[in-house]
Amino acid sequence: MPAENETQKVEAVLREHAMSYPGAHEDFPWGHRAMKVNDKTFLFMTVDGEKLNLSAKLPDSKDAALTLPFTEPTEYGLGKSGWVTAHFDEASQVPVPVIKAWIDESYRAIAPKKLVDQLPARGTAVPGPASKPAKKAAAGKKPSVRQAVAPAKKAAKKVVSKVKAVAKKAAARVKTVAKKASKKVAKTASAAKAKTARKAPAPARGKRAASSAPKRARRS
């Protein structure tokens, strides 16, 4: 059996996280991994070589998620319902904390209320294999939408900053290479011009070079 590549390892981490939620189970419709609760999907994941694609329902943080360079509204009309799809070319590009926050938000949007009530309040803890179900939040003390979305927005902001920094460095490298290439071209052109000047054709043998001085008038 071939060893797992890095992308498959990341997928395994995300799968384990998704399976830690109450009532979560796994299915493979159309050959794709789907994490479900109450027979309703809250996460799609596919791995193709080093590439990872995933989709989650983000009713609260959809707008923030779509500002990231690797996301787009999910196809087949699901984007209108808050679904967002992310594409990654390799494991190092996957912001695992952000995706875990998306899984949490998607599960809460899909799962029955009785299962959601078993989870910690949004923004206080992220469920996982080592976490224990929390007691129901006291009436009137549920977090606001802003508090609930804050962790995902903060993580998304960090990812955007990192992407911008990488792009800035790449632009600087391109500018430096272009400047060096320009200097090299100018130097080559100057050398070619000097070489051409040195190789100017000499007058044909036996023929005197034409004089630019005016001829004297012959005496009568």
Side-chain angles (χ1 to χ4, degrees), residues 3 5 27-28 43 52 58 91 98 116 130 138 150 159 161 169 178 186-187 194 217:
N5 60 32
D27 195 7
F28 291 89
L43 177 68
L52 171 66
L58 308 177
V98 174
V116 175
V159 174
S161 297
K169 289 182 180 179
K187 187 176 180 180

Side-chain angles (χ1 to χ4, degrees), residues 108-185:
R108 292 171 188 266
I110 299 295
K113 186 177 183 299
K114 64 180 181 180
L115 295 180
V116 175
D117 286 343
Q118 297 179 30
L119 303 176
R122 288 279 299 274
T124 58
V126 178
S131 64
K132 297 180 180 179
K135 295 181 179 180
K136 291 185 178 181
K141 292 186 178 181
K142 291 185 178 180
S144 64
V145 173
R146 180 178 294 180
Q147 291 174 324
V149 179
K153 282 188 174 181
K154 186 176 181 181
K157 189 175 181 180
K158 288 183 179 179
V159 174
V160 172
S161 297
K162 185 176 180 180
V163 171
K164 286 183 177 179
V166 172
K168 188 176 181 180
K169 289 182 180 179
R173 286 197 296 269
V174 171
K175 187 176 181 180
T176 300
V177 172
K179 190 174 181 180
K180 289 182 178 179
S182 179
K183 287 184 178 180
K184 188 174 181 180
V185 170

Side-chain angles (χ1 to χ4, degrees), residues 37-217:
V37 58
N38 201 30
D39 289 328
K40 294 182 179 180
T41 303
F42 64 93
L43 177 68
F44 288 103
M45 286 196 297
T46 61
V47 172
D48 183 10
E50 296 291 337
K51 296 182 178 181
L52 171 66
N53 300 317
L54 57 89
S55 301
K57 185 170 185 177
L58 308 177
D60 298 327
S61 61
K62 174 187 174 183
D63 292 341
L66 290 177
T67 63
L68 300 173
F70 47 77
T71 61
E72 65 177 1
T74 304
E75 296 179 341
Y76 311 112
L78 292 175
K80 296 179 181 179
S81 301
W83 280 83
V84 173
T85 296
H87 306 280
F88 305 101
D89 291 330
E90 56 185 37
S92 62
Q93 296 178 353
V94 184
V96 175
V98 174
I99 304 305
K100 285 185 175 181
W102 288 1
I103 293 173
D104 181 72
E105 182 178 343
S106 188
Y107 175 88
R108 292 171 188 266
I110 299 295
K113 186 177 183 299
K114 64 180 181 180
L115 295 180
V116 175
D117 286 343
Q118 297 179 30
L119 303 176
R122 288 279 299 274
T124 58
V126 178
S131 64
K132 297 180 180 179
K135 295 181 179 180
K136 291 185 178 181
K141 292 186 178 181
K142 291 185 178 180
S144 64
V145 173
R146 180 178 294 180
Q147 291 174 324
V149 179
K153 282 188 174 181
K154 186 176 181 181
K157 189 175 181 180
K158 288 183 179 179
V159 174
V160 172
S161 297
K162 185 176 180 180
V163 171
K164 286 183 177 179
V166 172
K168 188 176 181 180
K169 289 182 180 179
R173 286 197 296 269
V174 171
K175 187 176 181 180
T176 300
V177 172
K179 190 174 181 180
K180 289 182 178 179
S182 179
K183 287 184 178 180
K184 188 174 181 180
V185 170
K187 187 176 180 180
T188 301
S190 179
K193 187 176 181 181
K195 189 175 181 180
T196 301
R198 288 196 298 271
K199 290 184 177 181
R205 191 172 182 181
K207 294 183 179 181
R208 298 178 64 183
S211 176
S212 59
K215 296 182 177 180
R216 292 184 180 180

